[in-house]
């Protein structure tokens, strides 16, 4: 079969193709340089690249809890320090503060140890340990916020304003850790860390105090906006138990 005659290449075609190839090569080089610069900036300034994400996640946590009316969750608390190691667990019930209340309401019903109870009725907090002849009453305004985590999240809170030096790191199983120092508590607390999911749900809270005490709370099986009544947050002492005003236990 005779060969088909080759179509002559238009004048200037070779020059044009070479110019296009040169231009694309230059563009690829520029893109690589830009990508390398972005990587360099991100590694050189981790706080700059991290802070917007931390603030956004903190806002998501705020929205999640500030939109609740009530909350029920299982909790586990571990306390380490002062020569002690203690592990306790039970069910936490919370009710958001109303417009005229001093604070929200909460009830920590312990299953381990069975019978232990902490109730905050909006005005006073009550601590009772099984076998004790006394229950301690503490005015809500005098309560240590560290003993009642999540209480501040049922108000109108902004974590970014509550925690100084807010940082975010990656946790396990797709979670994140928000950490900082609670403002106004710098003399006692060295770090407060919240392990949260991408939707703003808190799974754990770790409080490191300046004297080396470590308090850790983990939360599971969360049920938002469960039906609650004020009567569930009233403290009725067991028979023979007297209520006294005192200092809150550790």
């Amino acid at each position: 079969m005779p060969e088909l005659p080759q179509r002559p290449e238009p004048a200037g075609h070779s020059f044009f193709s070479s110019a296009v190839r040169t231009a694309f090569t230059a563009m690829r080089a520029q893109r690589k340089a830009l990508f390398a610069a972005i990587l360099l900036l991100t590694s050189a300034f981790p706080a700059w690249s991290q802070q917007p994400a931390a603030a956004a996640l903190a806002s998501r946590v705020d929205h999640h809890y500030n939109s609740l009316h009530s909350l029920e969750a299982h909790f586990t608390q571990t306390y380490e320090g002062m020569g002690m190691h203690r592990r306790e667990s039970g069910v936490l019930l919370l009710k958001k503060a109303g417009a005229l209340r001093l604070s929200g309401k909460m009830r920590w019903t312990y299953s381990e140890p069975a019978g232990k109870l902490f109730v905050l009725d909006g005005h006073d907090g009550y601590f009772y340990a099984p076998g004790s002849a006394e229950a301690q009453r503490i005015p809500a305004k005098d309560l240590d916020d560290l003993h009642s985590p999540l209480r501040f999240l049922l108000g109108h809170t902004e974590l970014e304003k509550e925690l100084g030096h807010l940082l975010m790191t990656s946790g396990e199983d797709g979670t994140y850790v928000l950490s900082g120092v609670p403002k106004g508590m710098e003399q006692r607390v060295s770090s407060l860390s919240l392990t949260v999911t991408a939707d703003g749900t808190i799974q754990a809270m770790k409080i490191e105090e300046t004297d080396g005490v470590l308090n850790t709370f983990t939360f599971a099986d969360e049920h938002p906006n469960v039906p609650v009544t004020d009567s569930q947050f009233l403290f009725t002492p067991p028979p023979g138990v007297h209520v006294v005003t005192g200092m809150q236990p550790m």
Side-chain angles (χ1 to χ4, degrees):
M1 179 181 294
E3 295 183 359
L4 295 175
Q6 296 184 354
R7 183 164 42 185
E9 188 176 85
H13 177 77
S14 177
F15 172 79
F16 177 77
S17 299
S18 176
V20 169
R21 284 195 299 270
T22 301
F24 274 105
T25 300
M27 289 174 63
R28 283 197 297 267
Q30 290 175 353
R31 285 199 298 268
K32 289 181 180 179
L34 179 60
F35 183 67
I38 292 173
L39 290 179
L40 179 62
L41 285 172
T42 302
S43 60
F45 302 101
W48 173 81
S49 61
Q50 189 179 69
Q51 187 61 35
L57 185 58
S59 178
R60 197 171 299 173
V61 174
D62 294 337
H63 176 75
H64 177 77
Y65 288 96
N66 289 339
S67 63
L68 297 179
H69 303 294
S70 63
L71 175 69
E72 182 181 71
H74 288 274
F75 73 89
T76 299
Q77 177 187 1
T78 57
Y79 176 94
E80 297 180 69
M82 311 295 286
M84 293 185 291
H85 177 82
R86 189 171 66 220
R87 182 184 184 279
E88 301 175 332
S89 60
V91 175
L92 168 64
L93 184 64
L94 296 151
K95 184 178 181 182
K96 190 172 182 177
L100 301 178
R101 293 196 181 101
L102 293 176
S103 64
K105 298 185 177 186
M106 60 178 7
R107 183 182 186 94
W108 297 74
T109 304
Y110 290 76
S111 55
E112 181 188 349
K116 184 176 179 179
L117 183 66
F118 168 56
V119 177
L120 178 64
D121 63 10
H123 299 280
D124 297 299
Y126 296 86
F127 297 88
Y128 176 71
S132 176
E134 295 180 342
Q136 297 190 38
R137 180 185 67 84
I138 310 293
K141 62 182 179 63
D142 297 331
L143 278 173
D144 183 351
D145 285 342
L146 298 187
H147 190 84
S148 51
L150 286 186
R151 178 159 65 98
F152 67 95
L153 291 178
L154 287 178
H156 298 283
T157 301
E158 294 181 59
L159 277 180
E160 190 178 8
K161 293 183 179 180
E162 295 279 342
L163 301 178
H165 310 292
L166 182 67
L167 294 174
M168 187 191 76
T169 56
S170 297
E172 299 179 355
D173 301 324
T175 62
Y176 303 90
V177 178
L178 290 171
S179 61
V181 181
K183 294 181 180 179
M185 303 188 73
E186 294 87 351
Q187 297 301 314
R188 179 176 177 183
V189 180
S190 58
S191 176
L192 171 64
S193 302
L194 302 174
T195 301
V196 303
T197 59
D199 66 356
T201 301
I202 293 178
Q203 291 188 341
M205 175 181 289
K206 181 183 294 185
I207 304 158
E208 299 180 48
E209 301 188 40
T210 54
D211 60 2
V213 171
L214 179 63
N215 242 318
T216 304
F217 296 84
T218 58
F219 303 96
D221 197 22
E222 178 182 292
H223 298 284
N225 297 323
V226 295
V228 293
T229 63
D230 287 344
S231 62
Q232 291 174 268
F233 302 93
L234 296 179
F235 176 71
T236 303
V241 173
H242 302 284
V243 177
V244 297
T245 301
M247 298 294 292
Q248 57 184 324
M250 290 186 296

